[in-house]
Amino acid sequence: METSDSDDLMDYSIYRIMYRQAKNNHGIKNAKDVTTQIWETLFDFPSLKTCTRFNRFILDCVDVIWDLVAGIDGRMPRLKLDFECIGICFDPTRHIRSTDSNMDRKEIKYCIWPGLINIHDNQHITKAIMCT
C-alpha cells in the first residue's frame, strides 16, 4: 500500500503537534531535573543556582537534545539515540566496550553513553559505549 502526499502531510502535521506538546510540557521539567542533579553533585558551588549563563546553557542543552531526538522545530528527526541495553548482547557493530567491562561477557550491564543512528539509512554515526 503506497502512501499519498496527503497521508504524509497528515503524519507530518500530527508529528508537529506532538513535538510541540512534548517539548513544552517536558522540556522545562527535564532542565529542572538536570540542574537539580548538577547542584546536588556540585554542592561546593552554590553560586551555580543563580548563575544566569549556566542556567541558560542547561536550557540550551536540553533544547538541543529534544531537537536531536524529536526533530528540529517539529520536522521529523534525522537522528535517534541508541541506548537500549536491557536483555541485549554486546554487538561490535553498534557498541564500544567501556574500560571497566568484562571482555568475556556478552550481556550488557548498562549504557554509559548512547550512540547516534541516522534514521534515513539506519547507519551508526557514533557507537554506544556499554559496560559488559
Side-chain angles (χ1 to χ4, degrees):
M1 181 174 168
E2 290 185 33
T3 61
S4 67
D5 289 341
S6 63
D7 288 341
D8 290 342
L9 185 59
M10 178 63 96
D11 288 347
Y12 178 71
S13 298
I14 291 170
Y15 182 83
R16 283 182 63 94
I17 290 168
M18 291 174 65
Y19 163 83
R20 284 189 188 130
Q21 192 71 24
K23 191 169 179 180
N24 290 339
N25 290 344
H26 302 290
I28 291 297
K29 182 185 179 316
N30 292 143
K32 286 180 182 176
D33 291 346
V34 169
T35 54
T36 299
Q37 289 177 7
I38 291 171
W39 295 334
E40 288 172 359
T41 304
L42 301 175
F43 57 87
D44 289 340
F45 302 95
S47 62
L48 288 178
K49 289 183 178 182
T50 57
C51 179
T52 305
R53 284 187 177 166
F54 174 76
N55 288 300
R56 181 73 246 165
F57 174 75
I58 297 302
L59 287 172
D60 290 345
C61 289
V62 169
D63 273 349
V64 167
I65 296 303
W66 269 99
D67 290 343
L68 217 158
V69 174
I72 296 172
D73 197 25
R75 292 191 304 265
M76 297 296 258
R78 295 181 303 238
L79 303 173
K80 67 180 177 180
L81 295 175
D82 180 16
F83 60 91
E84 298 296 325
C85 61
I86 303 212
I88 293 179
C89 288
F90 181 82
D91 177 356
T93 65
R94 294 177 50 202
H95 308 129
I96 297 172
R97 288 184 201 265
S98 66
T99 55
D100 60 336
S101 286
N102 177 342
M103 299 305 173
D104 297 325
R105 185 178 172 154
K106 294 199 185 290
E107 186 178 313
I108 294 172
K109 288 199 287 190
Y110 55 88
C111 176
I112 294 175
W113 195 259
L116 283 177
I117 301 170
N118 183 331
I119 285 179
H120 301 294
D121 60 9
N122 224 23
Q123 294 295 313
H124 282 76
I125 296 168
T126 60
K127 294 180 180 182
I129 301 173
M130 301 292 185
C131 183
T132 58

